[in-house]
Amino acid sequence: MLGWALTFLVIALIAALFGFGGIAGASAGIAQILFVVFLVLFVVSMIARAVRGKSVS
């Protein structure tokens, strides 16, 4: 998930560099949504692991 977010961020940066504002805005929005989803799933995963009592190593 984080890889996809970084991919869309790179696409947005390249599109902005070449002047494609619509594509850059859309890619940046998708990257932002994917990053938030990644963070939420990561936090839920860490909480579930802590509740089950397994160490994070």
Side-chain angles (χ1 to χ4, degrees), residues 3-47:
W4 281 105
L6 291 174
T7 301
F8 277 104
L9 178 63
V10 169
I11 291 171
L13 291 173
I14 292 171
L17 180 69
F18 289 119
F20 297 111
I23 295 172
S27 294
I30 292 170
Q32 190 174 17
I33 290 169
L34 287 174
F35 186 71
V36 169
V37 170
F38 165 77
L39 285 179
V40 169
L41 292 176
F42 180 74
V43 169
V44 168
S45 173
M46 290 295 113
I47 291 172

